[in-house]
Amino acid sequence: MLQHLITQDDGLRMVPTDRNELTAAVGRLRDELRALPEKTDPVRTRVLTRWVGLGQMCLGHHEDARTFLQQSLDLAAAIGNTGAVVATGLNLADAHRYAGDVRTADALYRNALNAARSRCPELLDFALQHTGKHLMERGDLAGAESHLREALRLRIAKGNTELVESTQAALDRVELLLGDAAAAEPRA
């Protein structure tokens, strides 16, 4: 829905490609959400709330992002859509991470990763990628590298070049940070 309006910055966080256009697109999705009839299909509401939340997160509106993503996560759980629970849980974790709420982000990443491992293996690479970037930001570079290497292995097996490139970019960033950390260590 909004993928074409979202990219990653140098820190590998999602940001708008065009802030004004993303703002307008999020507004249109909010209008569509408000126009849905009462007791409408929860699947459409879930999808709309997720994309509004993602857009708000990219725009830096963290409180709105968390509200919409939590609503989407609750709907995904209520309708029993495990894939949506994992994906939206990761998005909600990102929203908490972007807002600086590391403790809540940790718990959400852990839950999504566990759910992907046990019930939704087709999304395990996504869970590993998001968790790896979180660990990188926290300074757990060894943990980040481990998660990202596993994600890369899975993505190579999937054969999706775009996903492989995304994970490789994250691994390159971790390796750069590891090199910087090694260079900063005092020599004996």
Side-chain angles (χ1 to χ4, degrees):
M1 267 184 188
L2 301 176
Q3 297 95 319
H4 65 290
L5 297 172
I6 298 172
T7 190
Q8 291 186 3
D9 65 11
D10 291 340
L12 304 177
R13 286 186 173 205
M14 291 184 281
V15 295
T17 57
D18 180 321
R19 186 171 189 80
N20 291 334
E21 183 54 36
L22 182 58
T23 300
V26 168
R28 289 188 296 273
L29 291 177
R30 288 180 89 148
D31 290 344
E32 183 180 344
L33 189 59
R34 279 190 290 271
L36 288 175
E38 190 98 10
K39 306 229 188 225
T40 193
D41 180 6
V43 172
R44 184 68 184 153
T45 303
R46 180 196 64 76
V47 169
L48 288 172
T49 54
R50 179 174 181 234
W51 280 105
V52 169
L54 281 168
Q56 294 291 61
M57 179 177 67
C58 293
L59 291 166
H61 305 288
H62 302 300
E63 190 61 40
D64 270 354
R66 289 181 297 210
T67 298
F68 280 99
L69 290 167
Q70 184 64 60
Q71 182 182 356
S72 183
L73 180 60
D74 293 344
L75 286 167
I79 60 179
N81 185 334
T82 304
V85 168
V86 170
T88 308
L90 292 168
N91 299 144
L92 182 58
D94 287 344
H96 280 277
R97 174 169 55 106
Y98 287 20
D101 183 0
V102 175
R103 178 180 293 197
T104 303
D106 275 336
L108 288 163
Y109 285 119
R110 212 172 12 262
N111 289 343
L113 187 55
N114 289 338
R117 283 195 195 281
S118 64
R119 298 187 322 252
C120 201
E122 66 275 12
L123 293 179
L124 181 55
D125 59 313
F126 287 98
L128 288 162
Q129 172 97 356
H130 283 255
T131 304
K133 291 193 313 189
H134 169 64
L135 293 172
M136 177 180 59
E137 281 193 18
R138 280 190 25 215
D140 179 358
L141 300 179
E145 184 179 34
S146 172
H147 281 72
L148 292 168
R149 288 207 182 280
E150 186 178 353
L152 183 62
R153 182 183 58 76
L154 293 169
R155 288 179 165 188
I156 289 171
K158 279 184 174 181
N160 184 319
T161 307
E162 188 176 323
L163 294 177
V164 169
E165 289 173 1
S166 172
T167 303
Q168 189 59 60
L171 262 172
D172 291 347
R173 176 116 172 109
V174 168
E175 289 170 2
L176 177 69
L177 293 171
L178 284 166
D180 290 349
E185 289 180 8
R187 297 179 190 208

